[in-house]
Amino acid sequence: MRTLADLSLRWKIPLRVVAAVVGTALAVTAALVARDYDLVRQNLEGHARSMGRVLAHTLVMPVLHDDIWRAYEILQSAHEPNPAAPELQAQVVLVTDADYRVFVSTRPRAFPIGTSAAAPGGAYGLLRAELSRGGPTDQRILEPADSALFFIMTPLIADGVALGHVILAYAKPALLPRFLGQVGRAAWVTLVVLLILLPVSWVWARRTAQPLLRLAGAMKQIPLELEAARLADLPRSGDEIGQLGEAFRRMVAEMKVKQEMERQMLSSERLAAIGRLTAGIAHEINNPLTGMLTAINTFQRHRDDPQRAERTLSLLERGLSQIRNTVSALLVEAKVEDRSFAPEDIDDLLILVEAEAHAQAVRVVVDGRLAEPVPLPATLVRQIVLNLLLNAVTAAGEGGTVRLNACTSPRGLTLAVFNDGAHIEQHDMPYLFEPFATGREAGHGLGLWIVYQITRQLDGTIAVESEPDATTFTIEIPYGKSE
Amino acid sequence: MNRDNAPCEAAGRRTFLRAAGAVVALPVLPVRAEEAPVRIGLTPVFLDDQMSFLSEWRRWLEVKLGRSVVFVQRGSYREVMDLLLAGKLDFAWVCGYPYVLHRQELKLVAVPLWRGGPWYQSYLIVPADDSRTKTLADLRGKVFAYSDPDSNSGYLYPRYLLTTQGENPADFFSRSFFTWAHRKVVEAVGIALADGGAVDGYVWETLAESHPDLTRATRVIGRSPPLGYPPFVARSDLPTAELARFRTVLLEMAADPQGMDLLHRLRLDGFTPGKPDHFDEIARMAARVRNP
């Protein structure tokens, strides 16, 4: 269900105008009703007071002369109905003597001559009590709460002596018919005002809402259709809506600049990634090449040893197939069947790093060997170990020692490469596996990044412990990922 | 038709000449205007508040008398009687009661005939919704309306009745008041302002025809024996010729079509010369009330 807050401004503004008009009409009507009642009341009271005074004056002689009939005729003339203002006609006019007995009244049956005026009871009983209060010459108004009448009591004074009272009883002004009349008139006026104001407010609402609706529509196009949003017909004015449109245009322009920058950044990033990949491939091809060239060099020097020739050829074959596998990894469709990592691979790796180790005068020791092939892709594991060994040889430095330990468990293969060179500073640890994050002058900083990428590909883990003269990289690779 | 127009022309001319006299101050006045108008006092023994009737009657009398006529009305019988006795009026239509009180100083002119005779009754009335009151005696301690202290039917008769019953009229009722007209006694009793009242039977019966709503609100509980109808009287020093002329006009009223029409509106049959002893019964009652 739509709440009022969800309504479009197109409806809200006319509704608010209606509410304002109706509210004003209600307030004005209430004020008018109250004022009208006051006026009627004052008018009636003034009329009743002057009528009481006139009657009291006129009745002095008939009362003094005990002329009941004349007094009655005077009351009758005061009691005549006035069609123009029926509320000004007294309901009862009563003349009492000094003992509150009826001298004459306009209703002889209800107030027989000579009986107590309090006899009818109700408010008339209260009047007698009221007469005993206040000055004897005061005109009094009594408005008993439980009576539909209110009373004006005027003393009949002859030469300063109170002969009795003239009591006029009037109906209290009826509130309801007046109220209904006023409300009816107010309703008509309100209707007329609404008939005039509603179309005006309708047009006004459209004029006010239109730019906001256009703005809202334009905002919905962000960020996908920025160009359309930029071209949207937004209000151009000095008021808040105009300012909003201006701000929106500015915002769209800024977003466009930002989007352009992002696109440029994205393409340069892609170029960097391609460069990184190329560098990685070059690095991986380069790694076995050095070892193989060394092996060929050694073979040329001992050409007549057939056994050596055999070994050299075998090493070259494995080295070249590693390169082929590395290259084929780039070509998605050319999936090359890989073999399992075997004990000979460790010999190969030692030979491949031999030249480097020799140049650095680093001793490479193998602490643990494999007894049989493990079900892990040889090319990837060789890549890991070759990278770690070359890094370790470099890290061990002149006369250092590098240790390789390979052991198997039922769950996987654990490889540990140790060197006793300079340790890795603590603040370098977080960036260890990021590309080009090298701590050395030589090298590309791609070795550990490749190790990390391959290990993750094989669902393995890498642990690094480094303290002065003892840095160990431990790789655990579970079986079963790539069979 | 000629008769109708004559007084109009006469009146018009008089008015004109009076105005002319005032301006030119020439005392060339017609013979008629030199004579003082006939002054006739009226009392509420009949419905004296019918102004159009009075004006027509006055014009008729002026034609018949050949003199201008002035009707004089006052608030009470006594004022009219005082004017008559003081010689300020020539004639008056008064009640039998003041007539018998001043029989020596007045001359009887004529007595109207109502329902065939020079008689009428006093009616005792109570509000129509009062079904318990049967006689005047039941009104003890109540409020009573009299018409006029000089009225036979509206004052003397009920007081006479109380006197014959051994009551003192002065304190029999708790309150009593005068309405100064019979018609208003009917009104006062009708609205129960008074618990009972005494009224001229002729007025009550006439009202019963012309304003039945007034009489319907009352109930007649008693009627007096026939009493002398209110007569036309003249001041004692009035020239005999004038008295005779006026008496003739009244006696011949029934023979005149227009006069008959006027009489009919009064519900009267005509006039009879009448005799003073017509009113002996009233005189007897008055004497009885004075000396119970």
Side-chain angles (χ1 to χ4, degrees), chain A residues 4-173:
Chain A
L4 197 63
D6 294 336
L7 272 182
S8 163
L9 277 178
R10 254 179 293 196
W11 299 104
K12 259 185 202 171
I13 290 174
L15 278 179
R16 280 172 191 167
V17 167
V18 169
V21 168
V22 169
T24 309
L26 284 179
V28 169
T29 306
L32 281 180
V33 166
R35 208 180 93 88
D36 188 53
Y37 183 78
D38 265 7
L39 271 179
V40 166
R41 187 55 218 267
Q42 275 173 18
N43 187 17
L44 177 56
E45 206 175 292
H47 175 88
R49 278 181 179 278
S50 65
M51 178 64 88
R53 276 193 293 271
V54 168
L55 279 180
H57 254 265
T58 321
L59 284 166
V60 164
M61 287 319 277
V63 169
L64 268 182
H65 297 169
D66 208 17
D67 195 341
I68 291 176
W69 182 253
R70 185 137 304 159
Y72 175 78
E73 286 186 322
I74 291 169
L75 295 197
Q76 272 309 104
S77 64
H79 186 59
E80 292 220 319
N82 180 356
E87 74 270 13
L88 293 184
Q89 192 196 0
Q91 304 247 318
V92 179
V93 188
L94 190 63
V95 180
T96 59
D97 62 15
D99 299 323
Y100 198 54
R101 280 196 306 264
V102 176
F103 177 76
V104 70
S105 78
T106 52
R107 286 206 194 154
R109 283 176 213 277
F111 300 94
I113 291 170
T115 59
S116 168
Y124 294 97
L126 296 175
L127 294 186
R128 180 163 50 185
E130 176 65 23
L131 288 180
S132 59
R133 284 193 285 273
T137 57
D138 294 345
Q139 193 177 43
R140 269 161 289 190
I141 288 190
L142 190 69
E143 200 167 353
D146 54 347
S147 171
L149 300 174
F150 81 95
F151 301 90
I152 307 279
M153 291 183 289
T154 317
L156 278 166
I157 308 283
D159 198 23
V161 176
L163 302 175
H165 284 87
V166 177
I167 300 172
L168 291 150
Y170 288 90
K172 288 177 184 169

Side-chain angles (χ1 to χ4, degrees), chain A residues 8 121 264 419:
Chain A
S8 163
Q264 283 171 10
N419 77 77

Side-chain angles (χ1 to χ4, degrees), chain B residues 205-261:
Chain B
E205 296 290 352
T206 308
L207 276 179
E209 289 178 40
S210 60
H211 297 86
D213 52 314
L214 286 179
T215 50
R216 257 206 301 274
T218 64
R219 185 167 63 86
V220 179
I221 58 161
R223 290 176 169 87
S224 72
L227 299 167
Y229 198 96
F232 271 86
V233 296
R235 59 185 162 98
S236 57
D237 55 350
L238 191 77
T240 319
E242 281 185 35
L243 189 149
R245 192 170 170 189
F246 187 60
R247 176 181 286 153
T248 310
V249 167
L250 289 182
L251 293 181
E252 290 175 357
M253 195 170 171
D256 180 87
Q258 208 183 346
M260 192 62 224
D261 183 51

Side-chain angles (χ1 to χ4, degrees), chain A residues 217-283:
Chain A
M219 277 184 174
K220 275 187 198 148
Q221 294 173 318
I222 287 180
L224 295 178
E225 299 161 70
L226 212 52
E227 187 58 21
R230 193 179 67 84
L231 293 176
D233 179 21
L234 293 180
R236 289 175 193 278
S237 58
D239 62 4
E240 286 78 0
I241 293 176
Q243 290 170 20
L244 207 57
E246 191 51 48
F248 178 75
R249 268 194 296 275
R250 221 164 37 233
M251 187 187 83
V252 169
E254 277 167 14
M255 281 180 84
K256 228 175 124 53
V257 170
K258 194 167 159 243
Q259 225 174 46
E260 191 59 38
M261 277 172 70
E262 271 175 2
R263 214 175 54 229
Q264 283 171 10
M265 273 170 72
L266 216 63
S267 68
S268 63
E269 195 102 310
R270 212 172 292 136
L271 285 175
I274 291 167
R276 206 154 54 223
L277 191 66
T278 316
I281 292 162
H283 179 268

